[in-house]
Amino acid sequence: MDIIGKGVTRKDAWEKVTGQAIYTGDHKETKILHVKKVISPYGHANIKNIDITKAEKVAGVRAIITGGNLPLTGEEIRDRYPIAQDKVRYHGEVVALVVADTPKQAKFAADSIQVIYEPLPVINSPIDAINPKYPLLHPDLDTYKKISEVFPEPGTNIANRTKIRKGDIKKGWQESDIIVEEKFSFSPSDHVAMETRCSLAEIRADNKVVISSSSQAPFMIKRLISDYFGVEIGNVIVNTPLVGGAFGGKASVQLELLAYIASKAVNGRLVIVENSREEDILTSPCHIGLDATVKLGCTKSGLLKIAEMTYLWDGGAYADKATDLSRAGAVDCTGPYNIENIWCDSLCMYTNHPYASPYRGFAHSEVLFAFERTMDSLSKKLGIDPLELREMNAILPGNSTPTQVQLNSSTVGNLPKCISELKKKMNWEEGQLVKINDNTIRAKGIACVWKTSTIDTNAGSGVILTFNPDGSVNVISGVIEIGTGTKTVLAQIVSEKLKMDIDHVKVQMEVNTQSTPEHWKTVASRATLMAGRAAIQAAEDALLQIKQLASIVLRAPVEDIDLGQERVYLRGDPEIGIPFNQLVYGYKYPDGSAIGGQIIGRGQYTIPHITNLDPETGAGKPGPEWTVGAQGVEVEYDINEYTYKIVRAISVIDAGKVLNQKTAEGQIMGAMSMGLAFGGRETFYFDNFGRVLNPQFRTYRPLRYGENPEYICEFVNTPQLDAPYGARGLGEHGLLGMPAALGNCLSLAAGIPLNQLPLIPELIWRGKKGSRL
Amino acid sequence: MLSYNFEYYKPKSIKEAIEQYQTSKSQDKKPLYYGGGTEILTLGRLNYIYTDAIIDLKGIPECKEFGFQNNELVIGSTLSLSVFEENKVFPLLTNTSKEVADYSSRNSITIGGNICGQIFYREAVLPFLLSDSTVIIAGPSGVKKFLINEIFNKELRLDEGEFLVQIGTEKEYLKAPYLSVKKRKQWDTGYPLLTVAALKKDGIIRFAFSGVCPYPFRSIQMEKILNDKKLSYKDRVLASFEYLPSPILNDIEGSDGYRLFVLENTLSNILSYLGGEELE
Amino acid sequence: MNRYPTNQRFTINLEINKEWYEIDILASDILLDVLRDKIGLTGAKPGCLNGDCGACTVIVNNQPIKSCLMLAIEAIDTEILTIEGLKDTPIQRAFVEHFAFQCGYCTSGFILICQALLLNDNNPSPEKIKTWLSSNICRCTGYKEIEESIRSVINNIKNQSIK
C-alpha cells in the first residue's frame, strides 16, 4: 500500500488557503433577494398580534410572510411550523420573514415589524417537563404525523421513549454487593460552526426548485421539500458547495424550508436566507441538554452486574432529530462494558429551549459524561483504580451490547489494548494526583468510550468515477466536505485501487443532488465506511471495464491483464500494454476507428443487516460496528482558587486502520478541543423567560488559540473486516470522553463530586461551599 | 451590517467636530462621536445604538497625541489600545489594556472609546483613576481640563456635545509599582469576572475595580482599610468589603457570591505582591 | 473636514491588494460587506459580524483588523491586504503542509493574522503569538496545527522572505 495511511495533502488545501474556496454564502448574484427573519424574544408566548404596516412601506420590500397556511414539519414527528403560528415555543423561533432587494432594507423592515406577545409559563428543564404541574407544550401531539419508530406519549411532554430491557434486573441487584447512584445535569449548548447556516432557493418556471445550502444533508433536503410542499422529488435540486464546519448542526433541515417559502412568496425569484451568528445560535437547532440518573451495581471485586439509567433529554421545543438522539442515547446507554442486566428509559422531553439537532458524538458524549462519572464513583467506593475497574469490565468480542448485539473482533475494537496504551501515555503508575507546589496539583482523569452509528437502516452511499482524456479520474460522491477531509480519503482509496498517482485523482468537492450519487447524510462518522466501500466498488467497476477493453485491444484474456503506473499490461509480458489515457475515452485504432468510450465506474453501498429496535426491549442492530477508545485529561488545579488549566488531553482510539494519518489526527484533536470546551465552558444560560442570555461569541466561548492543551493521539488497529482497509469511523470519537474525563479529573482534584457541566471554577466553588456547610 | 444609514464626518479640528455636532443636533439628528467604532457598529447592528450622524474624531491632531508634555504623559483619546502593547511607557496601562477584548479588536478599540463606551467594564480607565490623571474634554462651552477622579463617576460625566480629547498622567505615576489582575469565568478569554488594578504610591497601595459592580470605580475608603497595617491581609480584605459599592454584579459571568470569593483572593494576592507589611 | 453628508450612495476609491477599486457605498457600509459584495473578494468571511471571531480579518496598514469592525469609509487612504493578495507565501504553504485547516472557513483570517504578525515581528515570542492568534476562532482544529504552521515559518524565516 503506497497511499493508504499516508498524510496525503488535502485535495481542498490550496483553495482554502487562498480564499478561493466557495461556501454557500459566497454566491451573490445581483438579482438575488434578501430574506431577514423576525424571531421570538421569548421562550414561550402567545402571538397576540403582528403589525406589518410599517415594514410594508419600507422601500425595496417584496414580501412579508407570517405564520399560517404552512405545513407542519419535522423529521420524525411533524410538530413544527417553519414560521410560528399563534404561539412561539422557544427564544429565536421564526415569527416572520421579510424579502427585500437589499439586506439592509430587509433588516430595516424586519426590525419595524411589531409583534405583541403574551408570555406563557416556561419549561426550563427536562425535569420540569416531566412534572405534570408544568404546561403541556404540544397538546396536539396525538394528531401529528410521525414515523413508526418514534414513540411519543400524548398528554405529556414526552416526544419519545426508548426502552432498553436486557437481562434480569432483579438478578442484577441481587448479585450486587456495591451500589452507587448519581444524578447529572447540563443545559443545551451549540455547535457554533464558523460558517453560519445559509440557504438559497429559486423556483423556476419549469417547476424546478433549486436550492443551495450549507448542509450535511442535501439529499434529505430534497426529500423533505418534496414531502412537505408536494413538489415532485425529481424537480428538487440541491447544491452544496464546501461547508464551513457542521458538527451535526447542519444535518437538520430548516433554513432551506424558509428559503423555499420566501422564494414562493416572490414568484420563485432567487432568495438568500443567511443566519446572523445570534440566529445561528438561537433560531437554528442546538446541542441537546440532559438530566440523567445512573445507578450501578457490582460485586465486591468490581464486576458490573447491573446498570439502571433514566435519561431525560432536553430536546427543546420541537422533536426534529432530538427523538433520534434520545434513541441513540439508549442504544449505547452505558459505557463500553460487559453488563448482563441493563434497564434504561431514554426520554426525549419537550421544553421551551431551542430544539436540538445532532451534535458530534450524537448523544454519546452526553451519556458517557453521566456513565463514566458514575464509574469513577463506583471505583472510589470499591477502592479500585478507575482504569483497572474499566479494564476488568471492558466489553469484548463474545459480549453483547445494551441492544443485545453479539459482538466479535470485527464489530468491536480492542478496549483493553486502548486502556493499556492510555496508562503508558499518562504515566499512570505515577498516580492520579501529583503535587506541584503549595497551591497547585496536577490531576489526571479518564473515561472509556464507544460509539456506533444509528443511521437509517437503508441509508446508502454512491460513488461515480469518470475519466479525463489524459487518463486522470474524477471522484464524484455525495459526501459533503465539511472539513473532515473525507473526500481526500476517497481519493486515496481510488488512487490505491487504480494504482494511480494521487495527483491524477480529481475530486468534485461540490454536491448537486441531480448529478451526484446520493450519500444519505454526511453524519455519524459513516462517510469513510459507506462512501469508501462505494469508491472501492466504483474503482473495481472502472477497472473491469478498462481491462475488458484492453483485452480486446491487446488480444488477451481479461484475467491476464494487470495494471500499474497508470497502464494496463499483460502479466506474462509487461512490455505489452497500453497507458490509461488511450483506453479511458475508448480506444482508437491507427485507422481512426474506435471501440468503447468514456469509462464510467459505478459503486454503491448500503450497510447490511441494520434493524429497528424492538419497542419493548430495545433489541436490534443499530449500526455495523463500535469504535472504542480510552481517553484522559490532565489538569493543573489551583487548590485555593479552584481554577485550572488543562495541560494534556490524550486519546487512544481503536481506529481499525488509519487511512490518512494527518487528517485522522486532526479529527481526533479537533474533537478533543470541542469536547473540552463543551465540558469546561460552553453552555446556554437561560433566564426565567427561557431566553438564551449568551448568543454571541463574546459570551458563548469556544476554545481559543493557547487555551488548548497538548494533544496526544494514539491509534490501535483492530480491523473492521467489512470496512475499507479495516478503517472504523473516528470523526466524533475524540470528543466522546472529554467531558467525563475532565469531570473525573476535577472531581478527584477538588475532592467533591462534580456532576454538572460546564465545569467552571464557580461550580467547584459552589460544591466546596456546600460541602463545608 | 447596520439596518440604518448615517452621515459621516471626519473633522480635522476640535472646533469643526463640535460645530458639526451642533449642526446635526439643530437638524434634529442624533449625532455620535466616533472613535474606533467597535461599539457603535456591534451594538448598532442589534439596534442598541442609533445614530444619524457619525463624527469621526480620528482626524483631530490632539486626539492622536502620544508623548510627554512638561511633566505629563499625554494620551490622545483615539489611540488604539494596541498602541500601549508595543509602547510600555505606562506599564500599568499596558497591562490593563492588553486584557481587553483581543489583539485585532484592540487595533480598532480606542482608549477614549473604551472609557466612554456603553459596555460597562471600561477597564482602560483603571490606570488613570489610580494615577490621579487629568482629562481634557472639549464641548460647546470650550476645552476644559478636569481631574479624572472628579469627573469619572461610574462613567465619564460628559455633557451633551462633549468628547474626551486627551488624558494626562504625571511622570511619577508611570514608574510606580503596580499590578493589574483580570480574572475570568473560565480560562484566558472573555469579559472580566473582575479586574483589579493596583498602584503603589508613597507607600500606599491604590485600588481600582472593573467587573465587580456594573461600572468601574476606585474607592478611597477601601484603600484606607486595605493599607491598614494594624490588620492582617485577610482582615483588611474582609473589612474593606464593608465599603464595596452596590450592587455586586450577579450575571452570567458569575454570581455575586462567587465574585466576592474571587475578589478576596485577588486582593490578598495583590497585597502580598505589592508588599506592605502584614501583621503576624 | 471630510464630509459624506448625504444619505445617498457615493463613490470612494480603495487600495486593495495593490490595486485600486472605485466603489459606490453608503456611509454605514462596513468594510467586510464592501469587500465581499461590491468587489467579490469573498475570502474574508462573516463569522459573527460582531468583532468576535476573526474570520473577516484583513491587514490594514500592516495591522490585522477585523473588517466587520471598520467602516469602508474609514479605509480610505489605507493599504488593504486580503487573503486574495497573498500568493504562495510561506505561511500559506505551512498551513497546507501542517493541515492547519479543516473546513477552511476561518483560514483566511488565521493566515492573515499570522502574516501580519510575521510582518511586524519575525521572531515573536510564544506569548505574543498567543496574544495575536487568540483574536480568531477555529472550531475545527485543536490549534496545534496552526501553531506548528507559524512556528515552522518562524524557524525558516532567516532563509526566506515571508511575502
Side-chain angles (χ1 to χ4, degrees), chain A residues 274-334:
Chain A
E274 221 171 347
N275 273 351
S276 66
R277 176 56 60 189
E278 292 82 357
E279 288 167 343
D280 211 54
I281 289 177
L282 295 171
T283 302
S284 286
C286 68
H287 171 203
I288 203 160
L290 177 67
D291 287 343
T293 306
V294 180
K295 196 173 168 190
L296 299 179
C298 70
T299 64
K300 275 181 201 134
S301 61
L303 271 183
L304 284 171
K305 284 292 163 187
I306 179 155
E308 187 181 310
M309 283 79 52
T310 305
Y311 295 132
L312 300 180
W313 298 91
D314 191 340
Y318 300 102
D320 206 52
K321 292 297 290 179
T323 44
D324 198 12
L325 284 156
S326 69
R327 195 177 302 119
V331 159
D332 289 332
C333 58
T334 67

Side-chain angles (χ1 to χ4, degrees), chain B residues 164-213:
Chain B
L164 176 65
V165 180
Q166 289 173 349
I167 311 166
T169 307
E170 282 180 33
K171 260 184 187 166
E172 55 179 322
Y173 288 98
L174 304 180
K175 296 289 173 235
Y178 70 92
L179 189 63
S180 175
V181 178
K182 179 166 179 170
K183 297 282 187 182
R184 294 178 173 89
K185 184 186 182 74
Q186 178 70 296
W187 302 322
D188 307 334
T189 51
Y191 282 131
L193 181 72
L194 54 88
T195 297
V196 183
L199 187 125
K200 193 171 181 182
K201 183 78 186 4
D202 303 330
I204 303 291
I205 308 171
R206 305 170 171 201
F207 294 88
F209 306 85
S210 163
V212 176
C213 299

Side-chain angles (χ1 to χ4, degrees), chain C residues 14-16 20 31 60-61 70 74-80:
Chain C
L14 292 181
E15 190 197 329
I16 303 163
W20 283 95
L31 179 61
V60 178
N61 292 342
M70 188 179 210
E74 292 179 88
I76 295 172
D77 295 332
T78 67
E79 274 182 45
I80 302 165

